[in-house]
Amino acid sequence: MPPSPDPAVLRGMPLFAGLDADALAEVVRHARPRRVPKGTPIFSQGETAAAGHALIDGRVKIVQTGPDGQQVVMRFIGPGEMFGTLAIFTDGLYPADAVAVSDSLALSWPTAAMTVLMERHPAIAMNALTIVGDRLREVQNRLREVSTERVERRIAHALIRLVRQAGRRVEAGVEIDFPLSRQDVAEMTGTTLHTVSRTLSAWESQGIVESGRQQVVIRKPHALVAIAEDLPPLRPDR
Amino acid sequence: MDADHRRRPPQPDTNLADLTMADLMRLRPACVPVLLRRGLACPGCAMAPFMTVREAADAYGLDLDAFLSDLAATPAPHTPTESRECTPTA
């Protein structure tokens, strides 16, 4: 187990925004750090939620499996984000799997400790509510997209959402800065691997994106936004 | 600052061209209406932190110099070294 982290790792985390240094020190005293190699599950769907979690470094995929085995990627968690906390507010069971998709460092707080911290520092509970609210809004947007939009727009929206979360400027354009497979994109957009491959190949031939096995670079950001938002076409070569 | 600023006609500003769209909108909020008027979808866009003014002009097929003149004509209140309230006018 890595040594107890410095309270500074909590700075900038929306869950703990507004806490003073003493409160942050108290929060970090209850935290259990854990290194999670790429590919390792952190918790599993249906398990009793023993803890709430926050990611310090790396990337975690939250994926839910239906009764028929069909998987849906709920979201990717990046550094500074909380995860696995919904169970604290609901039935105490994790609603999805969490798997590290790159080498990660996570903190966890036993459910009882997290509840006590929220009672002692209501700002944490208010922050959690804001985060849950933001995620609900995102889920509502995705539900609307899945219900009403052509699959091409859904895929464009999914990539743009990932850019907002983990975009990085590179020479060729804007890279999504973590391993992302076409299967992941299919599971984020409620479509098949075949459809994602066909769509990305078409975009590649137009020079809009470039995708490796686990990597996506947006070469023409505006063109992707134009697809997602149904913007009027400008010039065919853009 | 404004006295000096007003004497010069707005010049195409090469620095502006290399700002990201997100920085432009943050540093010079008065540019936002200019962007909307020209039909740019940059306000609120996830790509805005990654694309420069120059690249946006290119993507939208705008004349860069004309675009920069429009942007430079807006007030720039959020320069890091100056405060809005107490700027000594030389």
Side-chain angles (χ1 to χ4, degrees):
Chain A
M1 190 162 123
S4 206
D6 191 289
V9 298
L10 302 183
R11 279 191 208 291
M13 264 193 198
L15 183 58
F16 303 114
L19 296 192
D20 61 24
D22 288 348
L24 286 178
E26 184 187 346
V27 168
V28 92
R29 265 201 309 279
H30 289 89
R32 298 173 183 173
R34 179 177 168 195
R35 287 199 186 284
V36 194
K38 180 178 174 174
T40 311
I42 299 174
F43 54 75
S44 302
Q45 183 173 336
E47 235 174 46
T48 300
H53 310 259
L55 193 66
I56 301 299
D57 191 31
R59 191 72 51 174
V60 169
K61 181 164 78 171
I62 307 295
V63 52
Q64 197 173 75
T65 308
D68 56 354
Q70 187 90 8
Q71 294 197 313
V72 177
V73 173
M74 293 296 163
R75 65 182 287 117
F76 285 93
I77 301 294
E81 290 190 89
M82 70 173 198
F83 63 104
T85 37
L86 212 48
I88 294 176
F89 305 113
T90 55
D91 58 359
L93 301 178
Y94 288 121
D97 294 342
V99 183
V101 293
S102 50
D103 290 342
S104 297
L105 175 61
L107 295 179
S108 65
W109 289 265
T111 302
M114 188 58 109
T115 307
V116 169
L117 286 171
M118 283 183 177
E119 282 165 4
R120 284 175 51 83
H121 306 286
I124 302 176
M126 293 301 293
N127 292 337
L129 193 56
T130 303
I131 295 165
V132 170
D134 284 346
R135 291 191 187 170
L136 176 61
R137 189 167 54 188
E138 193 181 304
V139 169
Q140 286 173 333
N141 287 340
R142 280 177 64 181
L143 178 61
R144 178 179 43 74
E145 289 168 21
V146 168
S147 313
T148 64
E149 290 183 359
R150 286 179 294 115
V151 67
E152 195 188 34
R153 287 187 66 189
R154 272 145 54 189
I155 295 171
H157 268 133
L159 295 183
I160 289 167
R161 201 170 278 126
L162 293 172
V163 163
R164 198 181 286 284
Q165 197 188 18
R168 187 167 75 98
R169 182 68 212 232
V170 294
E171 183 65 32
V174 182
E175 182 183 67
I176 295 169
D177 192 19
F178 62 89
L180 179 73
S181 69
R182 292 180 169 196
Q183 183 66 38
D184 290 331
V185 177
E187 291 172 8
M188 289 177 76
T189 50
T191 186
T192 60
L193 175 59
H194 174 75
T195 300
V196 170
S197 288
R198 191 166 43 76
T199 305
L200 289 185
S201 297
W203 291 349
E204 271 174 37
S205 65
Q206 295 165 51
I208 298 171
V209 301
E210 189 180 288
S211 67
R213 206 176 65 81
Q214 291 263 291
Q215 204 195 28
V216 177
V217 176
I218 321 300
R219 295 190 57 118
K220 290 184 184 170
H222 175 74
L224 189 69
V225 172
I227 293 167
E229 303 304 331
D230 249 348
L231 299 179
L234 295 154
R235 286 156 54 171
D237 58 322
R238 298 291 158 183
Chain B
M1 63 169 177
D2 281 346
D4 190 43
H5 186 75
R6 280 194 213 103
R7 266 201 300 275
R8 295 192 306 260
Q11 295 292 315
D13 185 337
T14 46
N15 293 332
L16 271 186
D18 296 318
L19 278 183
T20 65
M21 291 307 294
D23 282 342
L24 176 79
M25 292 185 277
R26 189 170 50 80
L27 297 169
R28 304 173 75 124
C31 285
V32 172
V34 175
L35 303 180
L36 295 176
R37 207 159 50 234
R38 283 180 168 270
L40 276 72
C42 303
C45 180
M47 302 298 181
F50 305 107
M51 306 304 288
T52 63
V53 171
R54 185 191 308 279
E55 288 167 327
D58 185 52
Y60 281 88
L62 303 176
D63 177 76
L64 180 63
D65 287 339
F67 184 40
L68 289 176
S69 301
D70 274 12
L71 296 177
T74 64
H78 291 177
T79 43
T81 53
E82 295 170 358
S83 105
R84 239 189 294 191
E85 279 76 36
C86 50
T87 307
T89 45

